Amino acid sequence: MTRIRRGYIARRRRTKICLFASSFRGAHSRLIRTIIQQKIRALVSAHRDRNRKKRYFRRLWITRINAVIRENRVFYSYSNFINDLYKRQLLLNRKILAQIAISNRNCLYMISNEIIK
């Protein structure tokens, strides 16, 4: 019986998977079954952490704003500041406020003093 030559489709699929896992360590970059498992795990982690990154940055911005606001006055906090912003209908998001807090504290002090009046 003659030998049957296999096609290239399975090999092409495996090389594509191997390219994805080329930076993994040990068997995670060499064995096909392990590579497939690690690829699934990596994509799940990437999907989860994209949302987590948004959450962490929002926490960071809130912390920065709160730190600068509390320096200015003793009994004034982040929650009071945001509440006063909404009452005055000043639509500044937390990212912009945090950048102002870092780069130019006096500007944030001026904004808070204007809102309190």
Side-chain angles (χ1 to χ4, degrees):
M1 190 147 211
T2 58
R3 178 178 169 276
I4 298 171
R5 293 179 61 194
R6 291 292 308 266
Y8 61 93
I9 295 169
R11 186 169 58 249
R12 196 168 55 184
R13 177 174 47 85
R14 290 187 192 114
T15 53
K16 196 191 300 183
I17 294 169
C18 287
L19 287 173
F20 179 86
S22 61
S23 62
F24 296 171
R25 292 184 67 188
H28 299 283
S29 67
R30 292 188 189 93
L31 305 178
I32 295 300
R33 190 177 294 175
T34 317
I35 288 173
I36 292 169
Q37 291 170 356
Q38 288 304 306
K39 180 180 178 181
I40 293 168
R41 189 179 180 127
L43 293 175
V44 165
S45 297
H47 180 264
R48 182 193 62 228
D49 292 338
R50 275 195 296 275
N51 291 330
R52 216 175 255 186
K53 186 171 82 169
K54 296 174 182 68
R55 195 183 313 159
Y56 287 152
F57 269 105
R58 186 181 169 97
R59 278 176 60 184
L60 177 68
W61 298 331
I62 289 171
T63 307
R64 286 177 175 170
I65 296 167
N66 195 20
V68 174
I69 290 295
R70 284 177 187 267
E71 279 181 9
N72 191 17
R73 290 176 172 255
V74 180
F75 298 111
Y76 200 61
S77 66
Y78 165 80
S79 59
N80 293 335
F81 178 66
I82 293 294
N83 188 27
D84 292 341
L85 271 177
Y86 277 107
K87 282 181 186 172
R88 286 290 186 103
Q89 294 180 343
L90 293 172
L91 300 174
L92 290 171
N93 62 7
R94 287 157 183 81
K95 182 179 180 179
I96 299 298
L97 287 171
Q99 287 177 349
I100 292 171
I102 290 171
S103 63
N104 193 358
R105 291 183 179 193
N106 293 332
C107 184
L108 195 67
Y109 293 152
M110 288 168 49
I111 292 171
S112 63
N113 290 335
E114 275 299 314
I115 291 171
I116 293 168
K117 288 180 184 176

